[in-house]
Amino acid sequence: MTTEMSFVDSALRGWKSNVERADKLFGALSPEQLEKEVAPGKNRLIYLWGHLAAVNDGLLPLLGIGERLHPEFDGMFISNPDKSVQLTVSGQSLKAAWQEINQKLWDGFLKFSASDWAQRHTAVSEEDFKREPHRNRFTALLGRTAHLAYHVGQATLAQPKA
Amino acid sequence: MTTEMSFVDSALRGWKSNVERADKLFGALSPEQLEKEVAPGKNRLIYLWGHLAAVNDGLLPLLGIGERLHPEFDGMFISNPDKSVQLTVSGQSLKAAWQEINQKLWDGFLKFSASDWAQRHTAVSEEDFKREPHRNRFTALLGRTAHLAYHVGQATLAQPKA
């Protein structure tokens, strides 16, 4: 494997392991448990899960993999804070959406060459990319991986004891 | 910049931005605020900060940058849970240690070529590395970046309102 593909491999492993941690944590929760706040007055588990699903969904167009699958999640899980909007998604449908989003991302990731990963993402113009070449797909992947870890860390605090 | 150095650049940016988030969050806390738990019955902020410092310190020998600066942190912040051992470090000395550790890491990071990043870390034998070439410095850096994000996410829950 070339050095550049070895770096892609590392990044994909990191992404996958954080998605799997989230899968395991959120996927095991009952509807009642999903209502629990991670700390008093803070986000509920269902909000964090929906937030991660919505942000990951946004990676589909950002990386040029495809259209968003669930743009309707943004109003519930990104642009408004928890408990300010009625959720129109159940834990079960969120789980299905989460899996669908991550599968489509993963299929897309595996098609990228090292050079594809180094190309600009769709939120930066060609002109800006010349000055800021770090605004590429690879950086976006690493950023979203840290975003997953950040909220999974919070979610573990409300996790029921095994 | 070559594709492989562009990936290293992305990873270093990700590391730096997470260290800076932790700097800003923990560095602004008073001794009293550092005693606060991130959620009822969970780790205190000072424990999380010490834990991150200890784990980052462990990267020095793992990546072959140098000896550990604060091996004495392990007993307080890694091998024992919070509140089970008397802390012999103040917030102020922890802050100094944190900065010293991250500076030494950063100086070491900047000396590595792309090929250095793809080499095995010191916790894997040459033989095992042949079978598991992903156990390299780059993967370790990404893993520790996610580890930072995970606990910074928790720490924000106890952060005093701005």
Side-chain angles (χ1 to χ4, degrees):
Chain A
M1 201 188 294
T2 61
T3 302
E4 55 195 35
M5 275 315 288
S6 137
F7 293 162
V8 169
D9 176 66
S10 296
L12 291 180
R13 282 171 186 271
W15 168 266
K16 195 160 192 258
S17 101
N18 280 283
V19 167
E20 283 170 358
R21 273 210 287 191
D23 269 345
K24 205 170 158 180
L25 194 162
F26 293 110
L29 301 175
S30 67
E32 293 70 35
Q33 288 169 333
L34 282 169
E35 292 296 317
K36 207 175 158 196
E37 295 172 337
V38 296
K42 304 291 179 180
N43 292 326
R44 289 172 299 165
L45 289 164
I46 192 161
Y47 184 85
L48 286 186
W49 197 12
H51 176 71
L52 291 175
V55 169
N56 286 3
D57 194 45
L59 269 179
L60 291 166
L62 189 75
L63 301 186
I65 293 173
E67 298 286 310
R68 294 204 45 179
L69 295 170
H70 293 281
E72 78 281 8
F73 281 4
D74 284 13
M76 288 184 278
F77 299 119
I78 296 185
S79 46
N80 292 295
D82 191 18
K83 294 159 232 162
S84 66
V85 174
Q86 182 69 40
L87 301 187
T88 58
V89 62
S90 66
Q92 205 157 3
S93 55
L94 184 52
K95 186 176 189 167
W98 167 258
Q99 289 171 339
E100 184 193 10
I101 292 163
N102 290 319
Q103 188 60 52
K104 187 165 173 185
L105 281 170
W106 189 251
D107 293 344
F109 291 171
L110 296 184
K111 287 185 191 133
F112 287 144
S113 66
S115 148
D116 291 333
W117 280 110
Q119 298 308 309
R120 71 186 167 100
H121 58 62
T122 61
V124 60
S125 69
E126 273 190 59
E127 200 183 349
D128 287 347
F129 187 60
K130 279 180 201 152
R131 286 190 304 271
E132 303 176 298
H134 64 278
R135 298 176 68 184
N136 56 39
R137 287 191 178 107
F138 195 75
T139 304
L141 176 68
L142 299 188
R144 292 307 194 281
T145 302
H147 179 256
L148 270 167
Y150 182 95
H151 289 301
V152 167
Q154 296 178 331
T156 55
L157 297 172
Q159 203 177 10
K161 299 272 180 233
Chain B
M1 199 187 295
T2 61
T3 301
E4 56 195 36
M5 276 314 288
S6 138
F7 293 162
V8 169
D9 176 64
S10 296
L12 291 180
R13 282 170 187 272
W15 167 267
K16 195 158 192 258
S17 101
N18 279 283
V19 167
E20 283 171 358
R21 273 210 287 193
D23 269 345
K24 205 171 158 181
L25 194 162
F26 293 110
L29 301 176
S30 67
E32 293 70 37
Q33 289 169 333
L34 281 169
E35 293 296 318
K36 206 176 159 196
E37 295 172 337
V38 297
K42 304 292 177 176
N43 292 326
R44 288 172 301 165
L45 289 163
I46 193 160
Y47 184 85
L48 287 186
W49 198 11
H51 176 71
L52 291 176
V55 170
N56 286 2
D57 194 45
L59 269 179
L60 292 167
L62 189 74
L63 301 186
I65 293 173
E67 298 285 311
R68 294 203 47 177
L69 295 170
H70 293 281
E72 78 282 7
F73 281 3
D74 285 13
M76 287 184 278
F77 299 119
I78 295 185
S79 45
N80 293 295
D82 192 18
K83 295 158 234 163
S84 67
V85 174
Q86 183 70 39
L87 302 187
T88 58
V89 62
S90 67
Q92 205 157 4
S93 56
L94 183 53
K95 187 176 187 166
W98 167 258
Q99 289 171 339
E100 184 194 9
I101 292 163
N102 290 319
Q103 188 60 53
K104 187 165 173 183
L105 280 170
W106 189 250
D107 293 345
F109 291 171
L110 295 185
K111 288 184 191 133
F112 288 144
S113 66
S115 147
D116 291 333
W117 280 110
Q119 298 308 309
R120 71 185 168 100
H121 58 62
T122 61
V124 58
S125 70
E126 273 191 58
E127 199 183 349
D128 287 346
F129 187 60
K130 278 179 201 154
R131 283 191 305 271
E132 303 176 297
H134 64 278
R135 298 176 68 185
N136 56 39
R137 288 192 177 108
F138 194 75
T139 303
L141 176 68
L142 299 188
R144 292 306 194 283
T145 302
H147 179 256
L148 269 167
Y150 182 95
H151 290 301
V152 168
Q154 297 178 331
T156 56
L157 297 172
Q159 201 177 12
K161 298 273 180 233

